Amino acid sequence: MSKVEDFLTVEEEQEIVSAILEAEKNTSGEIRVHIEAHTELDYLDRAKEVFHLLKMDNTKEENGVLIYIAVNDRKFAIYGDTGIDKVVPKGFWEITRDAIQTAFKQGNFKQGIINGVLSAGKELESHFPWQHDDINELSDEISKG
């Protein structure tokens, strides 16, 4: 797999967007997925940079989660804003990472991303439940670099 465009089919991307919508249905939290070919940076550092570029650090409750994937490098990182990072239980990020990694190792990239999205959504829901005046602050579409 060498091209970002070939990493997921259009149908797979739509399934991921549907999973994001499902995960955000009961929470004020925001989840994004970003895919790019390669980075020279440490993967977590690049995830933090993309998080800022996507303006995910501007959410009201600081409760955004980014799943970052560098396709050619065969690496990914999960980055959560300070609001969620303060409240998730110890080991949450590792559990989410493992849910993604297990599917990725089997070549099922779509399912790995969906696993990560749904895991993050469940945790967001428990700490940041949806309120009647909540709005979707960020796009649910997959971003690409």
Side-chain angles (χ1 to χ4, degrees), residues 60-65 80-90 92-93 123-124 127-128:
K60 183 172 68 171
E61 296 187 67
E62 300 178 320
N63 58 358
V65 175
D81 206 350
T82 56
I84 188 170
D85 202 38
K86 288 179 198 172
V87 297
V88 294
K90 184 173 171 53
F92 167 73
W93 297 115
E123 196 64 34
L124 283 167
H127 300 288
F128 302 97

Side-chain angles (χ1 to χ4, degrees), residues 31-43:
I31 302 169
R32 297 286 315 260
V33 174
H34 181 81
I35 301 170
E36 61 186 21
H38 168 73
T39 182
E40 295 290 335
L41 300 176
D42 170 82
Y43 300 100

Side-chain angles (χ1 to χ4, degrees), residues 5-47:
E5 297 79 26
D6 296 333
F7 184 62
L8 298 166
T9 66
V10 172
E11 294 80 15
E12 289 173 326
E13 285 189 22
Q14 272 313 118
E15 288 181 60
I16 292 167
V17 170
S18 293
I20 292 170
L21 291 169
E22 180 65 28
E24 290 182 354
K25 182 171 65 175
N26 296 311
T27 179
S28 63
E30 298 287 340
I31 302 169
R32 297 286 315 260
V33 174
H34 181 81
I35 301 170
E36 61 186 21
H38 168 73
T39 182
E40 295 290 335
L41 300 176
D42 170 82
Y43 300 100
L44 188 56
D45 289 341
R46 178 61 181 151

Side-chain angles (χ1 to χ4, degrees), residues 81-143:
D81 206 350
T82 56
I84 188 170
D85 202 38
K86 288 179 198 172
V87 297
V88 294
K90 184 173 171 53
F92 167 73
W93 297 115
E94 291 79 11
I95 291 168
T96 304
R97 177 202 62 215
D98 292 349
I100 296 170
Q101 193 166 340
T102 298
F104 275 21
K105 283 182 179 178
Q106 298 168 351
N108 194 342
F109 304 111
K110 174 201 77 170
Q111 193 58 51
I113 296 167
I114 289 174
N115 291 350
V117 164
L118 295 177
S119 176
K122 185 175 179 184
E123 196 64 34
L124 283 167
E125 181 181 346
S126 68
H127 300 288
F128 302 97
W130 184 85
Q131 305 294 321
H132 78 298
D133 60 343
D134 283 339
I135 58 167
N136 192 357
E137 297 178 82
L138 300 171
S139 170
D140 296 320
E141 297 299 314
I142 296 171
S143 62

